[in-house]
């Protein structure tokens, strides 16, 4: 009788240890993948468990998106467009920041990211671009204030730098499309 109780207790303890170990490993993987976005999500959700579930849901949604690399000709066109936006900054900084925001959104769309909702953009981008996501947040916030008296040229310049960080990552991410993809 005692032998059966000890065996059952040992199995339960081993199952609990395995569960804790699995959750610890998964949490570490989420931290590594999402970087600073992991702690931001924990803070927003007020719980590590809720944050873990949210981040796993982001990964699952991301799996359904058709994120695609850009052919080199398209990447070159976007690079030229970015140069043009930067040149506009000299004469009209607030308008250039707005152009940068639209160009980033257009590039996201071309890569396969949905762009209708800013919050969803952030969630979708967080899966593969968590390291540059804060750049996008800062730029977007400054862009929201652009044109008002409370934005300085230095802040607008900062927004351009922040937009460029995500823009360059989106532009290069995925490498070059194969010649078969370019012909399609």
């Amino acid at each position: 009788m005692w032998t059966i109780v000890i065996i059952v207790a040992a199995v339960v303890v081993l199952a609990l240890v395995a569960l804790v170990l699995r959750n610890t490993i998964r949490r570490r993987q989420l931290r590594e993948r999402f970087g600073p976005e992991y702690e931001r999500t924990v803070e927003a959700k007020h719980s590590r468990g809720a944050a873990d579930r949210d981040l796993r849901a982001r990964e699952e949604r991301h799996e359904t998106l058709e994120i695609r690399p850009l052919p080199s000709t398209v990447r070159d066109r976007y690079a030229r467009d970015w140069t043009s936006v930067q040149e506009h900054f000299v004469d009209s900084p607030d308008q250039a920041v707005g152009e940068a925001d639209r160009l980033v959104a257009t590039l996201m769309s071309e890569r396969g990211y949905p762009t209708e909702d800013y919050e969803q953009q952030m969630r979708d981008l967080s899966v593969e671009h968590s390291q540059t996501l804060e750049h996008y947040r800062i730029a977007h916030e400054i862009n929201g204030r652009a044109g008002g008296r409370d934005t300085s040229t230095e802040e607008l310049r900062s927004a351009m730098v922040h937009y460029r960080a995500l823009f360059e990552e989106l532009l290069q991410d995925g490498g070059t499309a194969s010649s078969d993809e370019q012909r399609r």
Side-chain angles (χ1 to χ4, degrees):
M1 170 78 173
W2 286 107
T3 306
I4 294 173
V5 170
I6 292 171
I7 291 172
V8 168
V11 168
V12 168
V13 168
L14 286 174
L16 288 173
V17 168
L19 182 64
V20 168
L21 185 58
R22 183 184 65 115
N23 287 342
T24 301
I25 290 169
R26 183 64 179 140
R27 185 166 285 153
R28 184 176 329 122
Q29 290 170 337
L30 288 170
R31 274 191 187 132
E32 289 172 6
R33 180 166 201 175
F34 286 93
E37 187 65 13
Y38 180 84
E39 291 304 324
R40 176 184 278 280
T41 306
V42 168
E43 199 173 300
K45 297 290 182 181
H46 306 292
S47 149
R48 290 205 182 279
D52 291 354
R53 286 187 295 279
D54 180 68
L55 295 172
R56 281 194 300 272
R58 292 181 195 192
E59 288 177 325
E60 288 171 12
R61 174 182 159 81
H62 193 270
E63 294 275 327
T64 68
L65 301 177
E66 293 184 32
I67 307 302
R68 55 197 166 270
L70 298 173
S72 59
T73 55
V74 174
R75 279 198 332 271
D76 292 346
R77 185 190 78 224
Y78 274 106
R80 285 189 305 274
D81 290 348
W82 181 261
T83 299
S84 176
V85 168
Q86 286 182 305
E87 290 169 356
H88 292 153
F89 185 83
V90 174
D91 295 325
S92 184
D94 54 339
Q95 288 180 0
V97 169
E99 289 175 31
D101 183 71
R102 288 185 294 279
L103 186 58
V104 166
T106 302
L107 176 56
M108 287 171 53
S109 178
E110 181 120 15
R111 290 286 317 278
Y113 288 98
T115 58
E116 316 73 56
D117 175 46
Y118 172 73
E119 289 304 319
Q120 189 60 54
Q121 284 177 0
M122 299 301 287
R123 294 172 56 76
D124 291 339
L125 287 169
S126 72
V127 177
E128 288 187 2
H129 304 283
S130 62
Q131 299 303 320
T132 54
L133 203 55
E134 190 61 23
H135 288 287
Y136 189 45
R137 275 191 183 93
I138 293 168
H140 187 78
E141 187 273 327
I142 294 170
N143 183 43
R145 294 185 290 114
R149 294 180 183 200
D150 60 338
T151 52
S152 68
T153 303
E154 182 56 28
E155 282 183 295
L156 296 170
R157 186 198 67 74
S158 174
M160 292 294 290
V161 170
H162 289 298
Y163 275 126
R164 184 176 60 216
L166 179 60
F167 178 83
E168 288 177 348
E169 190 170 296
L170 285 168
L171 195 62
Q172 296 307 318
D173 192 50
T176 57
S178 69
S179 54
D180 289 341
E181 288 173 329
Q182 289 180 11
R183 282 182 279 218
R184 287 185 206 152

